[in-house]
């Protein structure tokens, strides 16, 4: 991946992470604000429920206290009626009555009650009323709210009337929940934005201020003595406002941060990536053999130092390459001339009749050694032509199968007595036009020339196979095998040293050519005889994708 792509992907990742952090912060803040509001609502609901429960308990205590008044127990007496009137005038109850132990009403005092209505109620059987039954059983009781004709909800609180330890009746106080502003006093405990709703145990709405509408956050709490449900609600808009304000700050900070990241990216791109691209282009030029290349990477101290060192490297490579080319040309020229003289002299000796056998053997060794030197010269010329050409892999796409078939024909012409076989499949395209021929030819020649069998028994098999994105070329022989040292040097598992080195340039030529193609070498030796050298090269498609 290119540095520019990596750099901008990194910037994009940083921007994404920052956006995620801001979004996560916004979500956490939103959750925190929402949770805080729910906590406030729960607290408010519990406070109102406790307040209602406390005031109901006070009313219950009031009725119980008055039930101990002796005048209240004087059924039908004027003192009883006077006590009821005093009870109603001194308490917040709108009505009060006394029911005897037999369940009949004996006295009643209520606002707006006429004499005729009072007369009708006196003597009426109320024994089936729950509040009467509970009080006659000696219990204090708060009735469920019931709706009067006026629309007001009325609650009755009853307490037993006792004389000498016996229940002789019930005192029943009634008060209006709406008319007495019973719930309004609880709303003073709430913030202005919170609304109160109270429902009875049977889900009848007793109070609502203001009536619920729209989407709200709510919290509920029970009134312990009655089973009523207190609900406190707040409009979501009231909660959304601080969230929007905080989010605007967060997104503003994000925009500023992203702008700073973008500016940093542009600055870094102009300051770094452009220079790196120019430096890479300079190295590409050096690799192609253009040693006069120079680069100007900017005015900063570090880039000036790199530019200067690059120019020094280019000059050094140019100087050393020129020296090596001159040395190689002069050395090979002199070597070939000298070896030609030696070969000619050896041939003349061998062509002379009646040459002593020791002299003839010496002439043959001289001739063989001279031919070996000539072969080494050819290897050196190949190395110079192929490895120092600036682009050893070439730019030509070639069918490896067809090339190996042609190489096999060349080897058959050079070694007519040996068995040169091929194992070829479909076309295998590779980018190695100039290098493949000398590479595989050298392996084949090396396998045949170093085989200790008679010439007619020597064999070499050239095989080509195609993998997913590689091409494998195998040269297999029936020779004695390659020495361990040569194998390690060829496979690259050992570096050459003054005491550990190969005997010729042939295998070095193979290794360098394979390295120049970006390939790999593997060597397999048979249990008795034979060696298989496999060269794995990048396929044409993989090379094109890399390019």
């Amino acid at each position: 991946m290119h540095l520019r792509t990596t750099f901008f992907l990194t910037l994009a990742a940083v921007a994404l992470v920052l956006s995620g952090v801001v979004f996560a912060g916004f979500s956490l803040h939103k959750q925190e604000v929402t949770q805080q509001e729910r906590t406030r609502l729960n607290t408010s609901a519990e406070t109102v429920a406790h307040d209602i429960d406390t005031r109901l308990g006070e009313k219950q205590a009031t009725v119980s206290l008055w039930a101990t008044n002796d005048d209240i127990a004087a059924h039908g007496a004027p003192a009883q009626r006077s006590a009821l009137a005093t009870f109603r005038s001194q308490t917040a109850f709108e009505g009060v009555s006394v029911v005897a132990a037999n369940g009949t009403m004996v006295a009643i005092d209520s606002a707006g009650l006429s004499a005729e209505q009072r007369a009708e109620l006196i003597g009426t059987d109320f024994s089936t009323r729950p509040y009467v039954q509970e009080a006659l059983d000696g219990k204090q009781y708060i009735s469920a709210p019931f709706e009067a004709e006026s629309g007001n909800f009325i609650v009755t609180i009853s307490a037993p009337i006792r004389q000498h330890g016996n229940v002789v009746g019930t005192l029943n106080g009634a008060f209006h929940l709406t008319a007495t502003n019973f719930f309004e006093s609880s709303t003073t405990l709430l913030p202005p934005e919170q609304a109160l709703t109270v429902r009875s145990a049977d889900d009848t709405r007793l109070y609502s201020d203001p009536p619920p509408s729209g989407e709200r956050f709510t919290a509920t709490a029970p009134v312990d003595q009655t089973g009523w449900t207190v609900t406190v609600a707040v409009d979501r808009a009231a909660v959304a406002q601080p969230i929007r304000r905080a989010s605007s700050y967060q997104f503003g900070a994000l925009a500023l941060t992203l702008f700073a990241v973008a500016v940093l990216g542009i600055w870094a791109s102009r300051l770094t990536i452009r220079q790196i691209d120019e430096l890479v282009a300079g190295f590409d030029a050096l690799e192609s053999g253009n040693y006069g290349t120079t680069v100007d990477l900017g005015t900063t101290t570090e880039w000036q130092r790199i530019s200067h060192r690059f120019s020094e490297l280019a000059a050094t490579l140019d100087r050393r390459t020129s020296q090596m080319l001159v040395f190689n040309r002069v050395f090979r020229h002199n070597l070939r001339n000298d070896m030609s003289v030696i070969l000619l002299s050896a041939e003349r000796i061998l062509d002379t009749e009646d040459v002593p056998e020791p002299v003839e053997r010496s002439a043959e060794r001289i001739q063989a050694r001279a031919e070996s030197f000539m072969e080494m010269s050819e290897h050196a010329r190949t190395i110079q032509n192929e490895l120092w050409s600036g682009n050893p892999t070439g730019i030509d796409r070639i069918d490896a199968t067809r090339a190996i078939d042609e190489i096999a024909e060349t080897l058959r012409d050079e070694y007519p007595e040996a068995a040169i076989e091929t194992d070829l499949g479909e076309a295998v395209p590779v980018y190695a036009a100039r290098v493949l021929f000398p590479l595989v030819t050298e392996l084949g020649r090396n396998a045949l020339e170093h085989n200790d069998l008679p010439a007619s028994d020597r064999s070499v098999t050239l095989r080509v196979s195609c993998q997913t994105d590689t091409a494998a070329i195998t040269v297999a022989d029936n020779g004695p095998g390659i020495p361990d040292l040569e194998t390690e040097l060829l496979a690259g598992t050992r570096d050459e040293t003054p005491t550990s080195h190969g005997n010729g340039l042939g295998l070095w030529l193979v290794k360098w050519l394979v390295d120049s193609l970006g390939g790999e070498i593997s060597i397999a030796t048979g249990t008795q005889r034979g060696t298989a050298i496999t060269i794995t090269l990048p396929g044409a498609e993989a090379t094109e994708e890399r390019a």
Side-chain angles (χ1 to χ4, degrees):
M1 183 180 295
H2 293 293
L3 177 61
R4 180 180 287 102
T5 303
T6 303
F7 183 76
F8 284 110
L9 286 178
T10 302
L11 290 181
V14 170
L16 184 62
V17 170
L18 290 176
S19 301
V21 170
V22 170
F23 179 76
F26 170 74
S27 299
L28 292 175
H29 179 72
K30 180 179 179 180
Q31 294 176 3
E32 183 180 358
V33 171
T34 302
Q35 185 59 39
Q36 288 177 352
E37 189 59 33
R38 292 190 183 279
T39 302
R40 289 181 60 213
L41 289 174
N42 287 329
T43 302
S44 297
E46 293 172 357
T47 300
V48 170
H50 179 72
D51 177 68
I52 293 175
D53 198 54
T54 299
R55 288 187 290 117
L56 287 174
E58 292 173 353
K59 289 183 175 295
Q60 194 174 33
T62 299
V63 174
S64 298
L65 179 63
W66 277 86
T68 60
N69 190 322
D70 292 337
D71 291 341
I72 294 295
H75 296 328
Q80 189 182 53
R81 292 195 296 271
S82 176
L84 293 182
T86 303
F87 173 87
R88 192 173 66 83
S89 64
Q90 293 182 357
T91 64
F93 288 86
E94 282 71 30
V96 62
S97 65
V98 175
V99 175
N102 59 6
T104 60
M105 183 176 289
V106 294
I108 184 171
D109 189 287
S110 179
L113 186 67
S114 64
E116 291 78 7
Q117 293 173 331
R118 182 182 293 104
E120 291 178 1
L121 292 173
I122 298 300
T124 302
D125 186 9
F126 282 83
S127 59
T128 59
R129 303 292 176 89
Y131 64 88
V132 173
Q133 293 176 349
E134 292 293 326
L136 289 177
D137 286 342
K139 304 174 184 177
Q140 297 181 357
Y141 182 77
I142 301 176
S143 71
F146 64 92
E147 190 173 6
E149 295 179 357
S150 62
N152 293 328
F153 286 97
I154 300 175
V155 174
T156 300
I157 298 179
S158 302
I161 302 173
R162 288 185 173 86
Q163 278 189 338
H164 308 296
N166 297 319
V167 177
V168 297
T170 66
L171 177 63
N172 315 296
F175 67 95
H176 295 179
L177 294 175
T178 306
T180 58
N181 297 326
F182 180 79
F183 295 116
E184 278 79 351
S185 61
S186 296
T187 60
T188 60
L189 303 175
L190 302 177
E193 68 274 10
Q194 294 181 356
L196 175 64
T197 300
V198 182
R199 293 182 177 274
S200 64
D202 61 359
D203 203 35
T204 301
R205 190 169 66 202
L206 305 178
Y207 178 79
S208 181
D209 180 36
S213 62
E215 191 175 3
R216 297 186 168 195
F217 291 114
T218 60
T220 60
V223 179
D224 294 337
Q225 295 189 81
T226 61
W228 299 349
T229 301
V230 171
T231 302
V232 178
V234 65
D235 196 332
R236 283 181 178 268
V239 181
Q241 183 175 1
I243 295 177
R244 286 194 298 268
R245 183 170 56 252
S247 63
S248 64
Y249 293 151
Q250 289 177 325
F251 282 110
L254 174 63
L256 188 60
T257 302
L258 293 180
F259 175 76
V261 170
V263 171
L264 175 62
I266 295 173
W267 175 78
S269 176
R270 296 185 61 183
L271 186 64
T272 304
I273 297 180
R274 181 181 61 82
Q275 285 87 339
I276 292 176
D277 289 341
E278 186 174 348
L279 184 61
V280 171
F283 282 121
D284 291 339
L286 291 183
E287 186 179 10
S288 300
N290 299 323
Y291 299 121
T293 303
T294 59
V295 295
D296 183 8
L297 303 178
T299 58
T300 60
T301 303
E302 290 76 11
W303 285 119
Q304 285 182 340
R305 289 177 58 191
I306 294 175
S307 300
H308 179 67
R309 295 300 297 273
F310 180 90
S311 299
E312 288 182 344
L313 174 62
T316 300
L317 290 175
D318 188 26
R319 183 174 60 256
R320 291 182 179 178
T321 301
S322 298
Q323 294 170 350
M324 186 63 67
L325 288 174
V326 171
F327 170 78
N328 185 53
R329 184 175 65 253
V330 173
F331 175 78
R332 285 194 302 106
H333 176 74
N334 295 338
L335 177 65
R336 290 181 63 85
N337 289 340
D338 293 343
M339 288 301 104
S340 296
V341 173
I342 294 173
L343 279 172
L344 182 59
S345 300
E347 290 175 0
R348 286 178 179 176
I349 294 173
L350 293 174
D351 290 340
T352 303
E353 296 181 359
D354 300 329
V355 177
E357 184 178 350
V359 175
E360 183 179 3
R361 288 198 301 269
S362 297
E364 290 176 350
R365 287 197 298 271
I366 292 172
Q367 185 182 39
R369 182 64 66 182
E371 289 176 349
S372 176
F373 273 112
M374 295 293 284
E375 181 183 359
M376 184 180 300
S377 175
E378 287 301 317
H379 285 155
R381 183 180 63 84
T382 303
I383 291 173
Q384 175 183 336
N385 292 339
E386 300 299 338
L387 297 182
W388 293 357
S389 62
N391 187 10
T393 62
I395 60 173
D396 297 329
R397 177 169 171 157
I398 188 174
D399 177 9
T401 300
R402 182 177 177 181
I404 297 304
D405 191 36
E406 295 178 5
I407 293 171
E409 290 297 328
T410 301
L411 293 176
R412 291 187 184 105
D413 293 339
E414 295 182 8
Y415 304 92
E417 296 182 3
I420 312 298
E421 300 177 353
T422 58
D423 181 6
L424 309 177
E426 299 179 354
V428 180
V430 294
Y431 278 96
R434 297 202 320 270
V435 177
L436 191 61
F437 285 93
L439 173 59
V440 179
T441 301
E442 177 63 31
L443 286 175
R445 287 172 178 166
N446 188 76
L448 291 169
E449 292 178 359
H450 292 84
N451 197 325
D452 56 358
L453 294 176
S456 59
D457 294 335
R458 300 176 186 179
S459 68
V460 168
T461 300
L462 306 182
R463 186 180 303 111
V464 180
S465 61
C466 181
Q467 308 298 329
T468 303
D469 54 0
T470 60
I473 301 172
T474 302
V475 179
D477 62 53
N478 63 344
I482 303 177
D484 292 340
L485 175 59
E486 301 284 354
T487 300
E488 293 173 359
L489 292 175
L490 185 60
T493 57
R494 176 183 292 190
D495 295 329
E496 188 172 28
T497 65
T499 60
S500 178
H501 55 81
N503 292 323
L505 291 177
L507 292 182
W508 281 113
L509 173 63
V510 171
K511 176 173 172 41
W512 290 338
L513 291 179
V514 172
D515 289 343
S516 72
L517 294 172
E520 296 179 353
I521 300 176
S522 60
I523 302 174
T525 303
T527 55
Q528 300 296 329
R529 295 179 62 84
T531 301
I533 300 178
T534 300
I535 301 170
T536 304
L537 303 177
E541 294 183 0
T543 303
E544 290 169 356
E545 289 179 1
R546 236 183 355 258

